[in-house]
Amino acid sequence: MARKTTISREVILEAALKMLIRDGYASVNVKTLASEIGCSTQPIVWHFENMTGLRQALSEYAMAYAAKKAASSYENKLESFEFLGRSYVKMALKEPNLFKFLYLGESPMGKPYNLKDIGRAKNKEMIAMIAEQTGLNEEQVIRFVRNTIIYSHGIATMLATGVLKGTEKEMMEMINKAADAFILNEGADPEKIAVKGK
């Protein structure tokens, strides 16, 4: 008969995520996680078999956590895109270990996105709606989105690694100015790109 465990998979993943955010990915292993929870290593091994299984599950759990924080309810796709950028910068400022794990190659899942994917199916609606809002064609919008992501990623990486210091407001002002320059460079009408909160 299989032994039952009273410590759930969710409890283990939540504790692992907490450790990751607080102490960094290198701090998470079966023994330190068991100590964090206050249990033996058996429940962790029972749920995940080994560190490989735990790392994979933690990667998926951390990605879902980040996606939930970055989810936007804005109908205006430019505002939604800005909210996503703000979430990204907030993570780099407030949860730098999580940012490094998800976006700087620590996660065993690999790269969370590919710049070649910007124009693909999952972003078609956003691209089309930004094109409609700005009067740009889809190719111009894709270049604007790609350039803004590259610039934002650079700032967030410098924040998460301690190379750059500043407030969320200062960082978003830098990103917004760059994004405005990128979209105006593509030929957007300045009146059409005004985003609330700037």
Side-chain angles (χ1 to χ4, degrees):
M1 178 183 277
R3 182 181 168 153
K4 290 187 179 178
T5 181
T6 56
I7 297 173
S8 71
R9 179 181 174 88
E10 181 77 16
V11 165
I12 295 168
L13 287 172
E14 192 60 35
L17 180 62
K18 180 180 170 187
M19 287 179 67
L20 166 69
I21 291 169
R22 184 186 67 219
D23 305 320
Y25 180 54
S27 71
V28 182
N29 63 55
V30 174
K31 284 187 178 183
T32 59
L33 184 53
S35 177
E36 178 82 14
I37 297 167
C39 68
S40 71
T41 59
Q42 286 180 329
I44 299 165
V45 173
W46 188 83
H47 282 293
F48 303 102
E49 293 186 25
N50 53 37
M51 263 317 282
T52 302
L54 176 62
R55 285 184 182 124
Q56 185 64 34
L58 177 57
S59 295
E60 292 166 8
Y61 196 77
M63 188 60 76
Y65 169 84
K68 186 175 179 182
K69 290 181 88 168
S72 167
S73 60
Y74 289 109
E75 287 186 33
N76 179 308
K77 291 302 177 186
L78 281 174
E79 289 179 346
S80 183
F81 185 56
E82 181 184 2
F83 181 84
L84 183 62
R86 187 176 303 280
S87 300
Y88 199 65
V89 169
K90 266 188 191 175
M91 184 190 301
L93 279 167
K94 297 180 180 181
E95 299 172 317
N97 289 324
L98 179 62
F99 181 89
K100 289 186 274 188
F101 178 71
L102 293 175
Y103 302 112
L104 297 184
E106 291 182 355
S107 167
M109 290 176 68
K111 296 182 285 187
Y113 53 75
N114 184 333
L115 290 175
K116 292 177 183 174
D117 291 341
I118 291 170
R120 298 222 170 116
K122 68 178 183 173
N123 296 315
K124 280 287 188 195
E125 181 186 359
M126 178 189 76
I127 298 296
M129 289 182 83
I130 292 175
E132 185 179 322
Q133 284 176 242
T134 61
L136 298 175
N137 65 43
E138 289 190 11
E139 186 178 310
Q140 290 169 312
V141 172
I142 289 168
R143 280 195 304 263
F144 154 68
V145 169
R146 183 195 63 223
N147 290 338
T148 304
I149 288 171
I150 291 169
Y151 185 81
S152 301
H153 184 75
I155 286 179
T157 298
M158 287 191 261
L159 287 169
T161 57
V163 173
L164 180 64
K165 303 281 185 204
T167 65
E168 178 187 345
K169 183 179 179 189
E170 291 168 334
M171 298 304 109
M172 287 311 300
E173 283 175 4
M174 289 171 62
I175 291 170
N176 286 338
K177 284 180 184 176
D180 285 349
F182 293 142
I183 202 164
L184 290 171
N185 187 56
E186 294 298 338
D189 180 344
E191 297 295 316
K192 291 183 177 182
I193 65 165
V195 175
K196 295 174 189 171
K198 282 192 180 180

